Amino acid sequence: MSTADFRMIRPVAITDAMLVSSSVPEALAQEYAPGTAYALGATVGVTTGTMQLVYQGLQASNTGHAPASSPTWWKPLGAVYASYSAAATYALGDIVSSISAGVHDLYESQAAGNTGNPLTNDTKWLRRSATNRWNLFDKALNSQTVAPGSISIAIIPGLVNTVTLLNVEGAQATVSQSVSGYTSTKSLVRHDVLSWYDFFYEEPIRSGDVVFDDIPPYGAATLTITVDNAGLDAAIGGCFVGKSRTIGLTQWGLTGGTLSYSTPTTDKYGNTTVVKRANAKRLNFEVRIPQGFEDEAFRLLTEYTDVEMVFIGCSDRSMTITYGYLDQWQVPVSLNGANAPISIRGLT
């Protein structure tokens, strides 16, 4: 397999049963009590309003050390929110969770004195996002799963051979598999500069997209995915696992750009302001279709037109990796192979 193979990754939807474990909390923890002696690894919470900050104990015989001010005794795991209660009264801006089988959502109150109004009442409640634990699986790349220091999940997704992590913030990402012993770690630190001045004065970037496309396919295997970012928050916007299918070889001359959803507004004096919103990738490829493979390429592209999936133009170039859908494409027929123009519209 070449790094320049043009591939479509058909994602597997991750269900509750597939998610074996996650280092990111979702439910409320037992409230911290100063007089309690906590064991190594104990989990506690500190609640303010509907939000609770969750901590994990770093030492045994942990008594009287306030989690927020005792970093040698407690490690922060992230924020969770109380479950919605029809009997409670919520203030404007309060956030609650709705968690059940296949449901992992956060809602924000749109009114003061919000009592007894169901979450389906869109004048009183606005769906904010998935819960922090499930943001990386919700297909919305701009809503990230975020945790201090690192994120680690274990999943059993079935027969897959590719893991794609998008909109990642971290120093490195690691994927390992239980059956084969496969493990691979890739750096996420980038310091692309054009001069020595920039080398010394531009800070390295800890973000980007990364693909693990050499995973042995075993249906019963557990995949462990970890992003480390010591001293900073680790974040994953999208985690996609699936089987890849190669269409042809990506040719030089591909182009990449963005679709901006920001809104500029100009007042009567000509002053323009921009309301910053998300943007998505737009990619244009020329893909070399091998002679004799045209019918199958046409079938695959037809089948997956308007289907959301991961596309990889070149696994070594982050700009060519996106989650989106086929926009325009054509498959030429030639005696010795020809280039197919393929356009991809990314999703946010």
Side-chain angles (χ1 to χ4, degrees), residues 6-348:
F6 180 85
R7 282 161 286 164
M8 302 189 300
I9 315 299
R10 297 153 288 180
V12 172
I14 302 300
T15 64
D16 291 26
M18 292 178 181
L19 183 60
V20 177
S21 66
S22 173
S23 64
V24 181
E26 184 177 44
L28 293 178
Q30 182 183 28
E31 193 71 12
Y32 170 74
T36 301
Y38 293 101
L40 172 67
T43 302
V44 301
V46 177
T47 301
T48 303
T50 60
M51 182 185 74
Q52 183 187 74
L53 296 177
V54 180
Y55 297 84
Q56 185 178 59
L58 298 175
Q59 301 184 51
S61 302
N62 188 348
T63 306
H65 302 100
S69 58
S70 305
T72 60
W73 290 91
W74 297 101
K75 176 177 73 172
L77 297 181
V80 298
Y81 294 88
S83 297
Y84 168 76
S85 170
T89 299
Y90 297 102
L92 175 67
D94 279 352
I95 299 172
V96 298
S97 64
S98 175
I99 301 171
S100 59
V103 177
H104 304 271
D105 295 325
L106 297 180
Y107 289 84
E108 183 176 327
S109 174
Q110 301 298 292
N114 191 351
T115 304
N117 297 298
L119 296 177
T120 53
N121 184 339
D122 57 12
T123 65
K124 302 295 184 179
W125 294 98
L126 174 69
R127 184 186 181 278
R128 182 185 178 101
S129 68
T131 62
N132 191 31
R133 173 180 286 188
W134 284 85
N135 265 337
L136 75 169
F137 297 124
D138 72 350
K139 301 182 180 181
L141 302 186
N142 288 295
S143 59
Q144 297 172 306
T145 291
V146 182
S150 68
I151 297 169
S152 183
I153 62 169
I155 55 176
I156 304 178
L159 197 66
V160 301
N161 60 10
T162 304
V163 171
T164 306
L165 303 177
L166 302 179
N167 192 17
V168 182
E169 297 176 26
Q172 63 180 26
T174 301
V175 174
S176 59
Q177 189 195 67
S178 61
V179 173
S180 66
Y182 167 93
T183 185
S184 177
T185 298
K186 297 188 178 183
S187 174
L188 297 170
V189 178
R190 297 160 46 205
H191 197 203
D192 302 328
V193 295
L194 296 175
S195 68
W196 282 108
Y197 182 91
D198 289 345
F199 179 85
F200 286 109
Y201 294 105
E202 287 294 326
E203 295 182 2
I205 298 171
R206 293 190 175 195
S207 63
D209 307 325
V210 62
V211 176
F212 297 84
D213 54 3
D214 56 350
I215 301 170
Y218 288 96
T222 299
L223 292 178
T224 301
I225 302 166
T226 303
V227 171
D228 292 308
N229 204 22
L232 298 169
D233 283 345
I236 305 174
C239 174
F240 301 95
V241 297
K243 292 186 291 185
S244 67
R245 187 65 192 269
T246 300
I247 301 297
L249 192 66
T250 303
Q251 304 296 294
W252 288 110
L254 63 91
T255 61
T258 61
L259 295 166
S260 174
Y261 296 102
S262 299
T263 304
T265 302
T266 303
D267 64 21
K268 64 181 181 180
Y269 300 107
N271 301 308
T272 300
T273 57
V274 176
V275 177
K276 175 66 175 175
R277 294 191 172 93
N279 58 65
K281 287 183 181 178
R282 183 160 193 167
L283 302 172
N284 297 284
F285 301 98
E286 291 283 334
V287 179
R288 188 74 171 180
I289 306 296
Q291 192 276 328
F293 193 70
E294 294 91 350
D295 282 348
E296 178 63 5
F298 186 91
R299 184 193 71 80
L300 288 168
L301 292 169
T302 299
E303 179 178 355
Y304 294 117
T305 293
D306 299 327
V307 176
E308 299 170 8
M309 62 176 56
V310 173
F311 297 90
I312 301 173
C314 178
S315 57
D316 287 342
R317 293 183 178 270
S318 175
M319 66 170 280
T320 73
I321 304 168
T322 194
Y323 176 72
Y325 61 95
L326 289 164
D327 186 12
Q328 299 290 328
W329 57 270
Q330 293 179 324
V331 174
V333 177
S334 171
L335 293 176
N336 55 5
N339 294 343
I342 299 176
S343 296
I344 308 295
R345 289 184 64 131
L347 297 171
T348 62

